[in-house]
């Protein structure tokens, strides 16, 4: 028995559309499943927990949604030690990108899930919460804070609008970053602690991050002028920003960050710093392209 978890509000309604398609695919292939959903994150989480408690030998979880749903799913599939697959139906879908799946070839992904065994990947654990792709603090978190208060525009454009509002008044902050082998005290505009490669809908903030090496890639953007920031920013979509002299990338299993700032992971608010994160090797089972 599989749990088919559907977030109906993912991707401005894409969750429902893709979820219906996935249910049809599973029915066509005579796969036994139960649909799990909810009208809020809390309700969905509670319903999934109930399913996993009642089905301790479940074959796994197929989740239809985006990185927000990923965050909910991880908090349950890891302690229950059941494999999961994330079918892209969100706005960003960065975790699915990290796993190497083509966002437009859902059938190929589903076929792999129902016919092959899952494999282990690393996850991040920050102050008791699991994350799959990126933990970050700095300018992008401030933008997230702003975007979450905006009613308009909808979708990805909300993030762009929040950038336009926040960048003129943004100032770098002082950070203390403690790694496995050293402590970095520096001013920074942005810090990304990466298990996966991208966030924000394909921004390759740490293009060389590896989900099987038991280490985070930690990207530190040291202060640059706002003009320089806007000039370099588009390069993040190709991952070529890492050659800029203001960009520093280090690797560490453990990362502690202290500052007067807020942190987000997989697009979800973690809270005020300080935070402590650890890369947990082989933390969960999923399907990699």
């Amino acid at each position: 028995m599989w749990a088919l978890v559907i977030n109906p509000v993912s991707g401005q309604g894409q969750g429902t559309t893709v979820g219906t398609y996935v249910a049809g695919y599973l029915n066509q292939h005579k796969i036994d499943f139960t649909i799990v959903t909810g009208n809020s994150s809390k309700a969905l989480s509670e319903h999934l927990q109930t399913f996993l408690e009642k089905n301790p030998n479940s074959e796994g979880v197929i989740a239809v949604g985006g990185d927000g749903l990923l965050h909910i799913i991880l908090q349950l599939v890891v302690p229950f030690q059941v494999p999961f697959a994330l079918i892209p139906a969100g706005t960003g879908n960065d975790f699915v990108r990290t796993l190497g799946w083509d966002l437009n070839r859902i059938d190929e992904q589903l076929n792999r899930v129902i016919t092959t065994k899952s494999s282990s990947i690393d996850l991040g654990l920050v102050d008791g919460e699991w994350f799959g792709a990126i933990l970050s603090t700095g300018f992008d978190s401030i933008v997230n804070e702003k975007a979450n208060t905006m009613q308009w525009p909808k979708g990805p454009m909300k993030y762009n609008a929040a950038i336009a509002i926040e960048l003129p008044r943004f100032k770098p902050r002082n950070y203390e970053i403690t790694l496995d082998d050293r402590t970095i005290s520096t001013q920074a505009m942005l810090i990304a602690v990466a298990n996966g490669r991208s966030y924000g809908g394909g921004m390759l903030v740490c293009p060389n991050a590896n989900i099987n090496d038991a280490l985070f890639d930690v990207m530190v953007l040291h202060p640059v002028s706002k003009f320089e920031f806007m000039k370099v920013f588009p390069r993040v979509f190709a991952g070529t920003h890492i050659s800029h002299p203001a960009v520093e990338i280090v690797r560490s299993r453990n990362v502690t960050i202290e500052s007067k700032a807020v942190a987000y992971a997989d697009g979800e608010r973690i809270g005020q710093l300080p935070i402590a994160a650890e890369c947990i090797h082989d933390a969960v089972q999923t399907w990699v392209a």
Side-chain angles (χ1 to χ4, degrees), residues 204-208 219 235 239-245 247-249:
L204 291 166
V205 64
C206 290
N208 298 316
M219 193 283 292
R235 292 170 54 184
T240 59
H241 64 290
I242 63 174
S243 64
H244 192 280
V247 174
E248 178 182 8
I249 295 183

Side-chain angles (χ1 to χ4, degrees), residues 139-158:
F139 179 65
D140 57 346
S141 293
I142 290 172
V143 168
N144 261 321
E145 293 275 273
K146 182 62 178 180
N148 288 341
T149 68
M150 297 168 62
Q151 300 300 314
W152 184 91
K154 301 292 185 181
M157 287 305 298
K158 181 186 289 188

Side-chain angles (χ1 to χ4, degrees), residues 45 70-79 125 128-131:
S45 178
L70 167 71
H71 192 77
I72 297 170
I73 295 297
L74 288 181
Q75 313 316 313
L76 291 167
V77 296
V78 178
L125 183 63
E129 290 192 50
W130 297 100
F131 68 94

